[in-house]
Amino acid sequence: REGEVVLYKGVPYEVKSINVYSQLENRALEGGFVRLHIKDLTELRSRPSFRNEPWFPSRQGDWILLGDGTYGEVAAQTPDTVRVRLKGGATRSFRTTDYLSLSPINLSQGFRISVTFGLDYQHQNAITREIPQVIEQALGEGLKQEGLGAHIQKIRVEFLNAGASSLDLAVLAEFEGLEGPRYQILERAIARICVETCNAHHWIIPFQQVTVHMPEAEDGH
């Protein structure tokens, strides 16, 4: 039906017109018009569109993180191809269906960096309150001093669990989407400030206990 939404090659389109040659449109794609013969519509099923319909997970200029680890800026997206500009200027192209299958995380809508940080069991008395408070304050101050704190939404450090060889902390830092271009810089800065804070307070980090986790494919928060 005209005005409804139909999936064509895995991409949602609005049915603009139905005729011998019908037109589908996805307003989030460059050249997002598809012209099909009416016989090509026989296997398609439309549905009513919804308010705030998600036509595509990104727009040109958005910074994204893909399931295969690709991180960069969307340089172009069409019904057939999505081109991502990587840090340094190289570009990588995906078929649009392949791009969607990699569950893009749109960092330009805001994001969270999560770091799991383990300390030695000898710090058991301070690990639940004192140490998280000190690291949380150090992160806020350290990121601001390095010019990375303008778009911080929230920083939280909490005791996570008692692991086999360490007492683990969860470091959660949330940022506005404007920081998308500095996502990797922020990852490294957070891990470094955590280590520097431990060094300053003589807190022992067991071997191989600093790990950075990529965000899950959800709404970016």
Side-chain angles (χ1 to χ4, degrees):
R1 294 181 179 180
E2 292 184 359
E4 293 195 343
V5 179
V6 66
L7 279 179
Y8 177 67
K9 293 185 177 180
V11 179
Y13 289 90
E14 181 182 358
V15 182
K16 299 299 290 185
S17 65
I18 298 176
N19 210 315
V20 176
Y21 287 98
S22 303
Q23 282 196 333
L24 310 179
E25 179 188 17
N26 185 311
R27 62 197 72 179
L29 301 176
E30 300 171 59
F33 278 96
V34 176
R35 188 167 177 260
L36 298 176
H37 192 279
I38 193 167
K39 68 179 181 180
D40 296 323
L41 300 181
T42 56
E43 299 300 320
L44 303 180
R45 299 292 181 268
S46 66
R47 60 164 175 80
S49 62
F50 297 100
R51 189 176 182 180
N52 299 321
E53 183 79 30
W55 295 103
F56 207 71
S58 59
R59 289 186 176 274
Q60 184 179 3
D62 284 347
W63 285 80
I64 54 89
L65 181 65
L66 301 182
D68 65 352
T70 299
Y71 162 67
E73 181 184 13
V74 176
Q77 53 186 36
T78 72
D80 300 310
T81 305
V82 177
R83 187 158 47 89
V84 179
R85 183 179 296 109
L86 311 178
K87 283 287 190 177
T91 59
R92 185 175 179 187
S93 296
F94 301 85
R95 288 186 300 179
T96 301
T97 51
D98 292 340
Y99 176 82
L100 293 173
S101 72
L102 290 171
S103 302
I105 298 172
N106 192 329
L107 301 174
S108 294
Q109 296 179 2
F111 58 90
R112 169 187 285 181
I113 293 175
S114 175
V115 176
T116 299
F117 196 85
L119 293 179
D120 192 89
Y121 263 87
Q122 68 178 275
H123 306 301
Q124 183 172 338
N125 291 336
I127 196 68
T128 59
R129 296 189 182 277
E130 178 185 340
I131 291 176
Q133 291 173 359
V134 171
I135 294 178
E136 188 173 304
Q137 181 177 356
L139 281 169
E141 294 175 353
L143 291 173
K144 288 178 182 178
Q145 288 174 2
E146 296 184 22
L148 300 172
H151 302 290
I152 297 174
Q153 290 186 315
K154 184 187 301 182
I155 295 178
R156 192 167 73 252
V157 181
E158 300 176 347
F159 177 69
L160 181 61
N161 57 43
S165 60
S166 65
L167 297 168
D168 296 335
L169 297 172
V171 180
L172 308 173
E174 298 179 5
F175 298 88
E176 297 176 11
L178 291 173
E179 291 291 0
R182 298 199 285 186
Y183 176 80
Q184 292 179 330
I185 294 174
L186 288 165
E187 277 189 330
R188 294 190 292 268
I190 289 170
R192 175 174 47 77
I193 292 171
C194 285
V195 172
E196 291 174 345
T197 303
C198 289
N199 290 341
H201 291 82
H202 306 290
W203 297 330
I204 297 175
I205 305 170
F207 183 61
Q208 292 184 338
Q209 289 301 323
V210 182
T211 57
V212 176
H213 297 280
M214 295 298 182
E216 296 178 357
E218 49 184 20
D219 62 0
H221 297 278

